[in-house]
Amino acid sequence: MTRTPRELTVVPPPSGAPRNGPPDGLVRLRFADAIALERAGAAFGAGSLPGLGDAWSDPATLTLQIPADAGIETLRAVLAVLDAAAITSESLTVHTHELDDVFAAFTSLS
């Protein structure tokens, strides 16, 4: 019996593929006023970019929170949306999940 080498082809998942479980992180944008927050909410509307979850705003803290992967490409995409809409944020922070967050998400304790 003769064995021939097998070729292994690794195919990356398509962009925007459905995820199992929570995103890797959260991008939080803080704005100077309610008008900027409202404009940003419209710019990051549902399905604005692959890899970004549905954004939600907190008018009390003037923040917009975007569930997303915590990678460089995601940050570039967020900055591109802000730039295209001519919106300036006061701050941008990236929050990654801690073990407690992951446990709660997978055990439905959140």
Side-chain angles (χ1 to χ4, degrees):
M1 175 181 349
T2 305
R3 290 188 162 181
T4 59
R6 294 184 184 182
E7 289 185 35
L8 177 63
T9 304
V10 178
V11 179
S15 183
R19 299 178 52 89
N20 294 328
D24 294 339
L26 181 75
V27 177
R28 184 174 295 142
L29 301 167
R30 187 173 53 80
F31 297 93
D33 55 47
I35 294 170
L37 174 62
E38 184 177 324
R39 289 182 55 224
F44 286 98
S48 63
L49 289 171
L52 299 182
D54 290 340
W56 70 93
S57 63
D58 181 358
T61 60
L62 296 175
T63 58
L64 184 71
Q65 300 179 49
I66 308 161
D69 294 332
I72 297 298
E73 291 304 316
T74 297
L75 291 177
R76 286 183 180 140
V78 168
L79 293 173
V81 169
L82 290 173
D83 189 45
I87 302 169
T88 302
S89 68
E90 294 292 307
S91 68
L92 181 152
T93 55
V94 177
H95 302 269
T96 57
H97 295 292
E98 296 179 2
L99 185 56
D100 291 341
D101 299 327
V102 175
F103 177 79
F106 283 109
T107 58
S108 301
L109 296 176
S110 57

